Amino acid sequence: MQFVKGVGPRLASVFRAREIETVRDLLTFFPRAYEDRSKMRSVSELQEGERATVTLQVVGSRSIPLRSGKRMFEVRCVDPEGNPLALKYFHLPRGLDQKFKPGAQFVATGTVKNYLNRLEMSHPELSWGSAPSTAPSPVGKTNAGEGLPLNDPQAAERDFGRIIPVYTEIEGVPTRSLRKILWEAVQKYAHQLEEDLPLRLRDKYGLPKLGEAIRSIHFPTDQKSDGKSGENVIADLLAFRSPFHTRLIYEEFLKFELVILRHRKKLESEGAFAFGRDGGADALTALRKLLPFPLTGDQNRCVEEIMGDLGRSHPMNRLIQGDVGSGKTVVAFLTAGAVLAEGGQATLMAPTEILAEQHYKNAIKLFGGRLNTMLLTGRTGAADRRAMFARLEAGEPTLLVGTHALIEDPVRFRSLRYVMIDEQHRFGVEQRRVLREKGLADGPDGRKRYPHQLSLSATPIPRTLALTAYGDLEVSTVKEMPPGRSPVRTQVIRGEARRSAYEMIRLQVREGHQAYFIYPLVNESEAEGFTSLKSASQEAERLAREVYPEFKVGLLHGQMKPDEKQKVMESFQRNETQILVSTTVVEVGVDVPNATVMAIEHCERFGLSQLHQLRGRVGRGSAQSHCFLFTHQNAREATESRLEVLEETTDGFRIAEADLEIRGPGEFLGTRQSGGLPFRMANLVRDQDWLLKAREDAQSVLAEDAEFTRPENAPLRAYFEREGRRRLQHFGTT
Ligand code: ADP
Ligand code: MG
C-alpha cells in the first residue's frame, strides 16, 4: 500500500482498519456516486442549492466577528465575467487566509447558497490556479491538512473538467486526498492488475478488460463519442449500468459462486454414516402414525428429501425454510426418530430457553414419550446434567434438545450423527461449527465421518439470496400451512385510528382471546435520541392502568432472568394473563393458539420479514386473528418502508423480496457471516440477472474443469492461488 504515492504509515493503518490492505483492495474501493464537473459554470447561471464548479478570482477578504464570539472569514470573489460570489469559512484552515490575496485565482466546487440575495459557498473545495488549461499559480507547499489546498499540477486534470468520483468518507482522510490517492493508484497500477476473468467469459458478454474497467469507474473519461450525452454517461455510472460496472459485478458473482460451489463439492466428498435402511424408515412411519394430524404435502416432501440425504454416506447440509407455524419442527423430530432407531444420537439447538423448552414439551406430547428426548438449558440442575451426560457418553440413542448450553465443553456425545439448528441465523458460524464437531468420528476405514446437518429457518429468504448466502446448502421449502388456519388480518394504524384498534383488541379479549403487544426497546435510555419511542415497561404500565384496567397485563423482556421469563410465559399460556407486553423475545417460537391479536408498536423500526415473523405468533388456532401495525411515520416515509406489503400478503417469500429491496441482505444473514456478503460492487437485488448468469457459468466451468487445469482457465487458477487463504474461507455456511 505504501507504494502508492500519498500513502504513508498513518494512512496505511487507516486503510487497514477498513480492510483495504493491498493496492487491489484500494482499486476496488469504488465511488459511491459521481459529480459532473465537466463544465465550468458562470456564476450568473447558478441556482441556490446546486453543487457547482466555478473559476474565481479574489477581490478582497475580511474577518467578521460573530455574536457567538467566534469569527467568520469572508472572501469576496468574481468569476471571469465579473459576477460576484462570496466564500465563507467558519473554521479557517491554517494559512489559508494568506492565500486569498486580491488577484489570486482558483477553481472552487461547492454548494451554492443565496444569502440576502447574494450567492455564496461555504467551505468549498479549492484548487489553486485558474481554469484547467492555465498553469497553476506558484504557491508554496505547506502541510496537507484537511481542506488545505495543494499546489498540485495534476489537480486540473483530476479534479475538474470531468466527471469526478465521490467516495464514501473515510475518517481521517480528506475527500480530496482520497481522490488524489485513488488517482495515483489508478494511473500507476490499474493496468498491472492481474486479469482474473478468462477471456472466453469476457468475450461471451462483451465485457471490458479489468484495467480499463477500474480506470473508467474511478475516473470516467469522456464517452460522448459513442453518442451519449454527458448526462447519460452519469446516469449509467450512477445506476452501476456502465459496461465497466457490469464487468466487475459479473466478476464478483462468478468468483463467489465458484468458491461456494467448490465448497459444496468438498462437503459432498466427505464421509458420513448413512441412515434409514436399518429400521429407521419404519420407525419414522410409526412415529408419523402417532401424530394427532396428517402431515401436509410440503411436510411430506421435506421428510422425503431429508431421508434421501440421510441415506447417503455423505453429510447432509440442508436448510428447511418456511413461515412460523408451517410445521418444520415436526419434520425435524420425525427424521431424528429415524436416526435414533438405528442407534445414532441427535441434537436440536434453539436460540432461546423458551423455545428449547417448548420443543421439548412438544416432542413429548406429540409422540407420547416414544421419541427419546432430553432437555438441556442454562436452567438444568447439576444432578440432572450429570445424569444426562452419563447417558450421552454411554451412547444412548436420544434427541437432546437445548440452547447454546449444548455447545459448552462438558457436553460430550458418544455417537452424534444428526445436528439440527433452529433459527440458524441466530447462531454464529463458530457456534455451529463447535456443535458439528461434537459429532466428528472415525469411520471403520479410518476416514473421518461428519454428522448430518439440518438448519431450520422461519425467515424465508429470496432466491437470489439463497443462491449466494446458502449457495452451499440444499434447500427444502415448506409453503403450505397446516389446515384450519385463516390468514391473519393486518392493518397499519396511524394517528386517531389507534383508539378503534384498542377497542377491537378489547372485544377479542372479552371473547376469551389473548393479545401480544410488541415494543422495540425495554426502556428509553437504551437509545438516546429516541425518547419518543414507547418502551415496553412503561407501556405495560400504561396499558394496564389506562387502557385495559379490566384485564391482566404481563411483561416480558430480554433483560429478565430466565425463571422470571418462564413464569410470565406460563401465566400467558394458561390465560391467567390476557395481554402480554413484550420486546422481540417472543419473536421466535412460543405457541399460544388462544392468542389472536398481535399489536406492534413503532413497526417502522422492524424489517418487513421480522414483522411477518412476529405476526406468525397469532393465527395458530382456528379463530380469526388480527395484526395491528402502529406507526408514527408520515405517509411518504411509510411508502418507502412499504408496510402495506404486509396488509396485502401473508406469503413470507414475497415479503422477503420486498425486504431485501429495502434493507439489503444484512437483515437476513444476522450473525451468520461476520462481514455479510463480500460484494463491493454487486447488488443482489439490482443485479439478479448477472448473478444467475454467473452461477450457470461457474457450474459449467466446475463441471468441465474443477481444478482449473485447462489453459483457458489459468486466470481462475491464479486467482484461487493468490486469494485462496485470505478471503475465501469466510464464504461458506459451515
Ligand atoms: P414451525 O417450527 O415451522 O414454526 P411447528 O413444527 O412448531 O412449526 O408447528 C407449529 C404448530 O402446528 C405445532 O403446534 C404443531 O404441532 C402443529 N402442526 C405441525 N404440523 C401440522 C399439521 N400437518 N397439521 C396440523 N398441525 C400441525
Ligand atoms: Mg419453529
Side-chain angles (χ1 to χ4, degrees):
M1 272 297 285
Q2 294 187 31
F3 294 115
V4 179
K5 203 167 147 195
V7 181
R10 186 189 73 85
L11 277 186
S13 81
V14 170
F15 282 131
R16 202 170 312 120
R18 304 277 305 228
E19 289 192 21
I20 300 173
E21 292 173 40
T22 63
V23 172
R24 197 182 186 96
D25 294 340
L26 181 65
L27 289 173
T28 50
F29 181 75
F30 295 118
R32 68 173 166 77
Y34 296 90
E35 193 174 302
D36 190 355
R37 294 189 187 173
S38 52
K39 281 192 302 254
M40 279 299 158
R41 307 283 301 281
S42 160
V43 168
S44 62
E45 66 186 14
L46 298 184
Q47 304 284 332
E48 159 125 52
E50 71 172 322
R51 241 181 114 68
T53 299
V54 286
T55 302
L56 297 172
Q57 184 164 34
V58 177
V59 177
S61 64
R62 60 183 177 147
S63 173
I64 306 167
L66 299 176
R67 219 174 296 153
S68 64
K70 296 189 178 146
R71 304 185 77 84
M72 178 185 68
F73 192 75
E74 186 190 60
V75 189
R76 280 171 295 119
C77 309
V78 287
D79 75 357
E81 296 157 19
N83 302 303
L85 183 136
L87 308 186
K88 287 191 170 167
Y89 287 88
F90 298 91
H91 321 277
L92 191 68
R94 194 138 43 101
L96 193 57
D97 50 346
Q98 295 304 311
K99 293 192 183 159
F100 288 122
K101 299 236 165 69
Q105 292 191 0
F106 55 88
V107 179
T109 300
T111 304
V112 180
K113 269 186 275 182
N114 184 330
Y115 180 70
L116 301 176
N117 260 335
R118 289 165 51 186
L119 295 183
E120 59 181 45
M121 288 179 178
S122 48
H123 297 256
E125 188 184 315
L126 301 180
S127 182
W128 292 86
S130 53
S133 52
T134 323
S137 59
V139 179
K141 270 201 182 173
T142 45
N143 73 63
E146 177 87 43
L148 201 70
L150 298 162
N151 175 29
D152 177 354
Q154 286 183 325
E157 192 189 341
R158 184 184 66 223
D159 294 341
F160 302 101
R162 66 179 316 133
I163 292 164
I164 66 149
V166 177
Y167 298 98
T168 302
E169 264 178 53
I170 295 185
E171 218 186 301
V173 190
T175 315
R176 244 173 81 101
S177 312
L178 189 58
R179 195 158 64 235
K180 187 163 182 259
I181 288 165
L182 258 318
W183 173 267
E184 296 287 348
V186 166
Q187 299 295 322
K188 207 161 157 197
Y189 297 107
H191 290 275
Q192 292 180 27
L193 286 182
E194 252 177 280
E195 177 67 65
D196 294 338
L197 269 190
L199 182 62
R200 182 171 41 94
L201 293 176
R202 238 172 54 216
D203 281 352
K204 180 171 175 186
Y205 302 110
L207 299 171
K209 285 189 188 155
L210 179 64
E212 192 188 337
I214 295 236
R215 168 190 287 271
S216 301
I217 282 172
H218 287 287
F219 295 96
T221 44
D222 186 22
Q223 289 170 48
K224 285 167 199 160
S225 53
D226 72 353
K228 286 198 170 182
S229 75
E231 266 159 44
N232 282 339
V233 173
I234 285 223
D236 276 3
L237 288 168
L238 277 178
F240 290 66
R241 231 174 12 214
S242 77
F244 314 109
H245 284 90
T246 302
R247 132 100 216 197
L248 287 156
I249 288 163
Y250 172 73
E251 177 175 346
E252 278 191 333
F253 280 146
L254 183 78
K255 287 175 174 177
F256 184 85
E257 289 297 334
L258 284 172
V259 170
I260 210 136
L261 292 172
R262 270 164 57 114
H263 181 66
R264 180 167 169 165
K265 271 199 156 166
K266 187 174 143 265
L267 291 182
E268 280 164 5
S269 70
E270 282 166 351
F273 293 104
F275 290 92
R277 259 165 236 131
D278 199 12
D282 298 338
L284 194 153
T285 310
L287 286 173
R288 193 186 311 210
K289 282 188 189 139
L290 291 174
L291 288 175
F293 45 74
L295 294 185
T296 64
D298 279 353
Q299 283 174 317
N300 270 319
R301 190 176 33 74
C302 287
V303 166
E304 265 166 45
E305 285 168 353
I306 293 169
M307 289 309 292
D309 287 357
L310 292 177
R312 283 187 213 110
S313 52
H314 299 290
M316 169 170 78
N317 192 18
R318 185 174 282 278
L319 171 78
I320 167 168
Q321 58 171 347
D323 279 334
V324 172
S326 58
K328 301 180 294 293
T329 324
V330 174
V331 171
F333 287 153
L334 288 170
T335 51
V339 170
L340 264 52
E342 294 181 10
Q345 295 175 325
T347 189
L348 171 61
M349 181 162 73
T352 65
E353 277 176 12
I354 293 178
L355 201 53
E357 282 164 20
Q358 193 177 286
H359 285 332
Y360 173 74
K361 283 184 193 153
N362 247 336
I364 302 294
K365 197 178 77 190
L366 286 173
F367 304 107
R370 296 271 300 279
L371 182 69
N372 185 10
T373 313
M374 310 196 295
L375 175 69
L376 177 72
T377 71
R379 305 200 312 148
T380 310
D384 285 346
R385 275 173 174 256
R386 244 177 284 126
M388 238 186 269
F389 292 166
R391 288 164 65 187
L392 285 175
E393 288 188 49
E396 180 178 323
T398 182
L399 166 64
L400 179 61
V401 176
T403 56
H404 55 270
L406 292 174
I407 54 183
E408 282 160 17
D409 182 52
V411 183
R412 259 176 233 109
F413 296 85
R414 171 92 174 236
S415 52
L416 177 61
R417 302 289 180 253
Y418 189 16
V419 169
M420 298 173 285
I421 300 177
D422 195 17
E423 300 301 334
Q424 55 94 29
H425 62 282
R426 293 259 172 152
F427 296 97
V429 178
E430 187 55 18
Q431 289 173 308
R432 287 180 288 148
R433 190 186 58 77
V434 172
L435 189 58
R436 184 168 184 253
E437 288 193 349
K438 285 179 189 274
L440 263 186
D442 292 322
D445 55 0
R447 279 184 61 215
K448 284 262 171 273
R449 295 288 190 274
Y450 288 81
H452 297 285
Q453 186 169 314
L454 181 70
S455 305
L456 290 81
S457 172
T459 311
I461 62 170
R463 181 171 138 74
T464 48
L465 197 54
L467 287 182
T468 45
Y470 304 137
D472 56 345
L473 295 176
E474 299 290 338
V475 178
S476 294
T477 300
V478 202
K479 283 202 163 172
E480 192 183 348
M481 281 291 189
R485 296 185 191 172
S486 46
V488 179
R489 247 178 236 152
T490 302
Q491 269 176 280
V492 178
I493 307 285
R494 296 190 179 83
E496 282 304 295
R498 173 180 295 268
R499 291 220 189 125
S500 59
Y502 280 163
E503 289 315 308
M504 286 169 73
I505 295 169
R506 191 187 315 280
L507 287 179
Q508 287 287 312
V509 181
R510 275 203 194 131
E511 281 174 23
H513 294 299
Q514 291 165 276
Y516 295 99
F517 274 80
I518 307 291
Y519 295 84
L521 298 169
V522 180
N523 53 53
E524 297 189 346
S525 62
E526 274 175 68
E528 273 173 87
F530 287 96
T531 41
S532 66
L533 279 177
K534 303 198 162 171
S535 70
S537 38
Q538 284 178 14
E539 276 297 291
E541 256 175 59
R542 190 184 70 88
L543 287 176
R545 234 187 5 238
E546 294 170 22
V547 188
Y548 301 116
E550 71 268 47
F551 304 135
K552 188 139 189 290
V553 178
L555 172 66
L556 188 70
H557 61 72
Q559 286 161 21
M560 287 162 66
K561 298 214 177 66
D563 44 333
E564 290 174 337
K565 276 191 220 167
Q566 188 68 21
K567 270 195 208 128
V568 174
M569 259 334 287
E570 279 168 4
S571 142
F572 190 65
Q573 259 151 358
R574 287 195 295 263
N575 198 1
E576 291 160 9
T577 307
Q578 289 78 48
I579 292 177
L580 181 63
V581 175
S582 172
T583 57
T584 46
V585 189
V586 296
E587 180 189 344
V588 286
V590 289
D591 195 5
V592 180
N594 190 46
T596 55
V597 174
M598 172 59 64
I600 304 170
E601 201 64 61
H602 288 284
C603 66
E604 70 281 357
R605 303 260 299 162
F606 299 92
L608 298 180
S609 291
Q610 202 184 358
L611 291 171
H612 175 61
Q613 242 194 11
L614 286 166
R615 175 169 68 176
R617 300 287 123 228
V618 297
R620 310 202 123 199
S622 49
Q624 176 63 53
S625 290
H626 303 267
C627 175
F628 299 99
L629 301 172
F630 293 109
T631 180
H632 296 266
Q633 278 183 329
N634 64 37
R636 187 187 52 79
E637 291 165 334
T639 315
E640 280 165 19
S641 54
R642 296 175 62 182
L643 292 166
E644 72 281 7
V645 171
L646 290 163
E647 290 181 328
E648 286 160 16
T649 184
T650 52
D651 177 346
F653 288 89
R654 267 189 61 197
I655 292 163
E657 295 279 358
D659 215 16
L660 180 64
E661 279 173 34
I662 304 167
R663 289 150 54 93
E667 297 304 319
F668 294 92
L669 302 178
T671 53
R672 59 176 299 282
Q673 277 170 328
S674 46
L677 291 169
F679 303 127
R680 290 191 173 205
M681 179 68 85
N683 175 305
L684 290 175
V685 178
R686 187 192 60 210
D687 307 321
Q688 288 191 22
D689 297 357
W690 285 101
L691 172 64
L692 298 178
K693 287 181 188 138
R695 185 167 176 95
E696 257 175 44
D697 291 337
Q699 274 164 339
S700 68
V701 169
L702 289 178
E704 291 165 9
D705 185 20
E707 295 305 317
F708 311 127
T709 48
R710 294 191 191 170
E712 76 243 35
N713 291 328
L716 293 173
R717 188 195 178 101
Y719 164 69
F720 276 87
E721 280 167 7
R722 189 179 75 233
E723 299 272 321
R725 250 146 259 114
R726 197 159 81 98
R727 286 254 163 79
L728 310 183
Q729 63 246 31
H730 297 328
F731 287 14
T733 52
T734 46

